[in-house]
Amino acid sequence: MSSPESEPPESAPEADTTMPVDALPVVAPQLRALRRRASLTLEAAARSAGLSPAHLSRLETGQRQPSLPMLLALARIYGTTVSELLGETVADRDAVVRSADMEPTAAGGWTYWQAGAAGRGMQALRVHVPYGSQGDIVRVHPGEEWLYVLEGRLLLRLGDTTHRLPPGDSAHFDSLTPHRIAAQDPGGVELLFVHTLLQSPTATLCLGPTPGEMS
């Protein structure tokens, strides 16, 4: 938290607007709880939302009223909805996801199938990683990841160490460890993937290509 020194003039995104006062007792604890669930420090969350840490701290303690743009930004950063930020009751989610309901989604050359309910603290996916796709991208972000190789062989770089995982092998690691994921075989690799990365802003997930390739 920032020291009690005078703060610079607050920019437009931090302006207080339409949120009613009687919503604050619910919003304040939710903001703090969801930030912690996303494994974000006060400073990191404030920076991503374009706020000062002191301002976000006052939102979390109920000393300030959040504006709707502020809530939208924080919901995106925490991987949740404005409704959850407001403490509204979420309808019960189905515990079972049928294979017929898993629609493929392509992103960055990979293909994803949602294998769990949206909005949970963890996200479960089935992932196809094609050969030569995103193997030079280093990822660093808050959270944890667990993966299990279904088909093909995976090249997993954790820090300075490269691991080769055949079908049946798995890995569980802290996502703040710089990591790269690539398929070793021309046919690509199929993974089961459980993670918390959807709780992080997209911009923090990839630091971009780095020189060289995975050995």
Side-chain angles (χ1 to χ4, degrees):
M1 183 179 297
S2 298
S3 61
E5 299 177 1
S6 59
E7 294 180 51
E10 294 181 337
S11 59
E14 297 192 11
D16 301 328
T17 56
T18 59
M19 189 56 57
V21 173
D22 59 7
L24 289 176
V26 175
V27 175
Q30 282 291 100
L31 288 176
R32 175 174 290 154
L34 291 171
R35 173 176 60 78
R36 289 174 174 173
R37 189 184 76 179
S39 302
L40 291 172
T41 64
L42 186 73
E43 290 75 13
R47 183 171 58 250
S48 296
L51 307 173
S52 68
H55 190 98
L56 181 56
S57 177
R58 285 194 288 270
L59 292 177
E60 291 185 351
T61 55
Q63 300 175 43
R64 286 288 183 92
Q65 296 181 358
S67 65
L68 180 56
M70 232 181 267
L71 288 176
L72 289 170
L74 291 171
R76 175 184 59 80
I77 292 164
Y78 299 160
T80 185
T81 64
V82 171
S83 294
E84 188 173 10
L85 287 179
L86 295 176
E88 295 178 359
T89 302
V90 179
D92 290 340
R93 304 177 180 95
D94 290 337
V96 175
V97 180
R98 302 295 181 185
S99 60
D101 297 328
M102 296 183 190
E103 295 291 334
T105 300
W110 294 7
T111 303
Y112 303 82
W113 291 262
Q114 190 78 34
R120 297 283 192 183
M122 296 185 299
Q123 293 292 319
L125 302 169
R126 182 164 63 89
V127 184
H128 175 72
V129 180
Y131 182 74
S133 175
Q134 298 193 36
D136 58 352
I137 293 179
V138 179
R139 294 169 169 81
V140 179
H141 51 88
E144 293 182 63
E145 296 181 41
W146 175 88
L147 57 84
Y148 178 89
V149 182
L150 294 170
E151 298 179 17
R153 292 181 297 171
L154 176 71
L155 284 176
L156 173 65
R157 172 72 65 85
L158 294 176
D160 296 326
T161 304
T162 297
H163 304 271
R164 292 171 172 80
L165 282 66
D169 281 5
S170 63
H172 188 173
F173 54 91
D174 188 323
S175 303
L176 287 175
T177 302
H179 52 284
R180 299 191 233 173
I181 294 174
Q184 185 174 349
D185 301 321
V189 62
E190 297 279 337
L191 307 173
L192 288 179
F193 195 47
V194 178
H195 61 85
T196 59
L197 67 81
L198 292 183
Q199 297 172 0
S200 304
T202 303
T204 69
L205 301 183
C206 302
L207 300 183
T210 57
E213 297 180 354
M214 299 179 71
S215 57

